[in-house]
Amino acid sequence: MARHSGSSLYTLDTEALSALAPDVLLTQDLCRVCAVPYEAVSRAVRLMDAGPRVVSLEPRTLGDVLDCLVTVGGLLGVREAAERRREELRDRLTEVRRATAGRPAPRVVAIEWLDPLWPAGHWVPEQITCAGGEPLLAAPGEHTKAMTWEAVRAARPDVILVLPCGFPPERTLAEINLLRSLPGWEGLPAVRTGEVWVLDGPAYFNRPGPRVVRGAEVLAHVLHGVRVGDPVTEAEARRLDRA
């Protein structure tokens, strides 16, 4: 895994963008690493003869993510359909909360990058809470920063979620020794009880879209063995082999 240096992983093909001649461009400035930032998009639009409307979406919480559906729906002339979809997604989150209510809440650390270690913030702590867990080392809506390994050890999580930004589970598993080689790894409660999970971060956790709701359903399975919605597949959540 390349060390996270804060620079973007993506560039924008301005020639292709100009040829497509879009009416609306959706961008973001929430993370400059995992997507093209607003500044780069605005700069590209200024070079085009007839610039599209540029809209930057900056959700930080689950509620914000769902509200963005309505924002985009309004831009595209389908606001009522977007509002209906938002309500459907809210109902699914309510079902996750109902299915996990009253159960003991495991203490959870979610790791979004391995070098340096980075806790998952923004909406991920809410996904954990929704699924009946107690998020550690990051608060709802927080734009996090790198953490020390000692902070993870001191937190003594019952469950560790490994969901690196932009990495499919296969890539995460290929890099997992970055965690396993850290001092005291074997002594963590989550490791001793086999509660370290590799999740599909890009699909359900890293990016603010409707699939964050599926992420909460996946966590209901991970944290409590509860099925909400479709059965959780190994591609979505895989318990890390202790060997």
Side-chain angles (χ1 to χ4, degrees):
M1 170 181 279
R3 185 173 178 83
H4 192 311
S5 62
S7 59
S8 179
L9 302 176
Y10 303 95
T11 58
L12 192 60
D13 187 333
T14 54
E15 290 186 5
L17 182 62
S18 182
L20 290 169
D23 298 312
V24 178
L25 275 175
L26 302 180
T27 184
Q28 60 87 46
D29 221 20
L30 197 65
C31 177
R32 302 181 67 85
V33 175
C34 60
V36 178
Y38 173 77
E39 179 184 335
V41 175
S42 295
R43 188 166 54 247
V45 167
R46 286 196 296 270
L47 299 176
M48 298 169 62
D49 291 335
R53 181 176 181 183
V54 179
V55 179
S56 184
L57 304 174
E58 314 294 341
R60 290 180 176 266
T61 67
L62 279 179
D64 292 344
V65 172
L66 300 189
D67 287 344
C68 280
L69 286 174
V70 177
T71 299
V72 175
L75 289 168
L76 303 181
V78 289
R79 183 181 180 89
E80 290 186 2
E83 289 176 341
R84 289 194 298 271
R85 180 61 173 155
R86 179 177 60 181
E87 293 310 306
E88 291 170 1
L89 293 168
R90 284 176 174 171
D91 288 345
R92 286 171 59 185
L93 289 174
T94 297
E95 181 61 21
V96 173
R97 294 186 185 98
R98 186 203 64 76
T100 59
R103 297 170 181 266
R107 302 168 71 252
V108 182
V109 165
I111 298 175
E112 197 166 46
W113 200 254
L114 304 182
D115 185 16
L117 285 170
W118 209 285
H122 296 138
W123 47 85
V124 175
E126 289 180 281
Q127 289 175 292
I128 293 169
T129 301
C130 179
E134 177 186 349
L136 306 175
L137 304 178
E142 181 183 0
H143 190 80
T144 57
K145 58 184 178 180
M147 62 183 173
T148 65
W149 173 238
E150 285 307 313
V152 179
R153 292 182 66 181
R156 298 184 58 78
D158 301 310
V159 179
I160 296 175
L161 311 176
V162 190
L163 38 85
C165 185
F167 277 19
E170 292 75 18
R171 176 71 185 275
T172 301
L173 289 167
E175 305 282 357
I176 202 67
N177 281 339
L178 286 170
L179 285 180
R180 280 177 158 163
S181 63
L182 291 168
W185 168 259
E186 294 294 336
L188 290 175
V191 177
R192 292 202 310 266
T193 58
E195 291 297 331
V196 180
W197 292 79
V198 173
L199 306 179
D200 192 335
Y204 306 118
F205 301 98
N206 307 147
R207 294 171 177 164
R211 287 192 293 178
V212 296
V213 172
R214 178 56 179 169
E217 294 173 345
V218 169
L219 290 183
H221 165 78
V222 167
L223 301 182
H224 295 292
V226 172
R227 175 179 169 180
V228 184
D230 294 333
V232 174
T233 67
E234 191 174 79
E236 293 174 315
R238 185 178 315 180
R239 195 189 302 267
L240 185 65
D241 188 348
R242 297 178 64 185

